């Protein structure tokens, strides 16, 4: 073990760098140089104590977000923590901001302090540099197909949407929107078992909002009651017990009657909003997530909830 460490130190020394400097170079290569191979990197040298840096940060973040689809990313280097990297770029004052492409500075952005100045410079650079290339075109194509499938699903054709989402997954296996869309499509096509298998097979994107929506829908719709079960639950709910009312609301939503579920849950909230630590409101919010927060029915029902809570 001591021999291996000694050999490594000798190799690093032969490059003229000590271990800390080599580690700094490795971090910079991973965080900045590698992304710059296919993207235009905005490289921001900053420090916690630097007031102008803090003023510039939201501008850089907004521009980077606006230009993300064009192949622009933001990388930040704290000069106090990465003194060696800052010295290699001969940073004398901060903020200092460069544009990097394929590991090389292609523009000094330090004096572009406003959003319009930054965007003007980026537009000029993007017109001259081969940013994204075939990879960018493929990403745009995937996004186009995802948007098409989402529109088709919203229009009420889940089987056709599922086919398109499946094709997107073949093109981009890690695309979370496609996975979530496919699960939702299968749920809406009454293929809950297939939807469950899909959801369980993709844990790597479990935190993505698209899949979170699909999982909520799956949880709510998996135990769809038949007409006899639903009638029995409705009769029990009429007795007024909160547990029975919640069970009925879950069942009637699973049966496809969104309005009846919302009416029941809103009635429960009006009667006792604190019951079971706000269980009725939590269930209604889960339904909103499952249906989709931008859905017109959700928007209208959220207004009803707000009027009840704050009116």
């Amino acid at each position: 073990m001591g021999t291996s460490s000694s050999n490594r130190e000798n190799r690093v020394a032969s490059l003229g760098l000590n271990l800390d400097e080599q580690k700094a170079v490795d971090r910079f290569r991973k965080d900045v140089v590698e992304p710059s191979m296919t993207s235009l990197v905005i490289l921001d040298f900053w420090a916690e104590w630097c007031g102008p840096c803090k003023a510039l940060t939201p501008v850089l973040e907004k521009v980077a977000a606006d230009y993300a689809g064009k192949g622009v990313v933001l990388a930040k280097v704290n000069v106090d923590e990465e003194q060696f990297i800052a010295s290699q770029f001969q940073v004398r004052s901060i903020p200092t901001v460069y544009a990097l492409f394929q590991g090389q500075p292609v523009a000094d952005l330090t004096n572009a302090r406003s959003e319009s100045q930054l965007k003007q410079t980026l537009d000029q650079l993007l017109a001259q540099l081969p940013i994204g290339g075939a990879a960018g075109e493929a990403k745009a194509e995937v996004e186009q197909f995802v948007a098409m499938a989402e529109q088709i699903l919203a229009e009420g054709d889940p089987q056709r949407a599922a086919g398109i989402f499946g094709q997107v997954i073949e093109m981009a296996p890690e695309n979370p929107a496609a996975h979530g869309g496919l699960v939702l499509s299968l749920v809406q096509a009454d293929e809950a078992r297939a939807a469950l298998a899909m959801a369980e097979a993709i844990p790597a994107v479990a935190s993505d909002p698209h899949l979170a929506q699909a999982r909520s829908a799956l949880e709510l719709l998996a135990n769809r009651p038949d007409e006899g079960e639903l009638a029995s639950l409705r009769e029990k709910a009429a007795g007024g017990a909160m547990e029975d009312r919640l069970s009925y609301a879950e069942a009637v939503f699973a049966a496809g009657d969104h309005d009846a579920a919302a009416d029941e849950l809103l009635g429960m909230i009006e009667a006792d909003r604190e019951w079971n630590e706000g269980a009725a409101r939590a269930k209604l919010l889960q339904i909103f997530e499952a249906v989709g927060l931008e859905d017109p029915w959700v928007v209208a029902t959220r207004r009803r909830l707000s009027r009840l809570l704050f009116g």
Side-chain angles (χ1 to χ4, degrees), residues 19-30:
L19 273 176
D20 288 339
E21 290 171 344
Q22 183 61 46
K23 289 178 181 178
V25 170
D26 291 342
R27 286 193 297 270
F28 185 77
R29 181 181 296 114
K30 178 177 180 294

Side-chain angles (χ1 to χ4, degrees), residues 23-67:
K23 289 178 181 178
V25 170
D26 291 342
R27 286 193 297 270
F28 185 77
R29 181 181 296 114
K30 178 177 180 294
D31 297 338
V32 180
V33 175
E34 290 181 6
S36 78
M37 291 298 105
T38 55
S39 301
L40 183 64
V41 176
I42 301 174
L43 179 60
D44 176 30
F45 289 94
W46 70 289
E48 289 285 353
W49 46 263
C50 171
C53 298
K54 293 182 178 180
L56 182 60
T57 290
V59 178
L60 294 176
E61 290 177 345
K62 183 179 187 306
V63 170
D66 290 345
Y67 276 62

Side-chain angles (χ1 to χ4, degrees), residues 49 72 79 82 95 110 116 119 139 149 157 216 220 238-239 261 299:
W49 46 263
V72 175
V79 297
E82 301 289 1
T110 303
S116 61
K119 288 185 174 182
K139 181 180 178 182
D157 192 346
S216 290
L220 288 165
V299 172

Side-chain angles (χ1 to χ4, degrees), residues 53-166:
C53 298
K54 293 182 178 180
L56 182 60
T57 290
V59 178
L60 294 176
E61 290 177 345
K62 183 179 187 306
V63 170
D66 290 345
Y67 276 62
K70 299 180 181 181
V72 175
V73 297
L74 175 63
K76 300 177 71 65
V77 173
N78 187 320
V79 297
D80 291 332
E81 297 174 355
E82 301 289 1
Q83 295 180 14
F84 178 70
I85 296 299
S87 69
Q88 297 304 299
F89 279 83
Q90 299 182 351
V91 174
R92 300 286 181 259
S93 63
I94 52 176
T96 291
V97 185
Y98 291 113
L100 264 68
F101 181 60
Q102 296 186 344
Q104 300 297 321
V106 293
D108 186 342
L109 305 177
T110 303
N111 293 325
R113 298 299 179 91
S114 71
E115 181 179 338
S116 61
Q117 288 173 328
L118 278 167
K119 288 185 174 182
Q120 182 179 4
T121 305
L122 290 176
D123 287 339
Q124 293 171 353
L125 292 171
L126 292 170
Q128 300 169 12
L129 299 171
I131 305 296
E137 293 177 5
K139 181 180 178 182
E141 185 178 10
V142 166
E143 292 175 352
Q144 180 181 4
F145 278 120
V146 168
M148 180 192 305
E150 289 176 343
Q151 179 64 32
I152 291 170
L153 182 61
E155 293 172 352
D157 192 346
Q159 292 183 336
R160 185 180 168 209
I164 298 174
F165 281 126

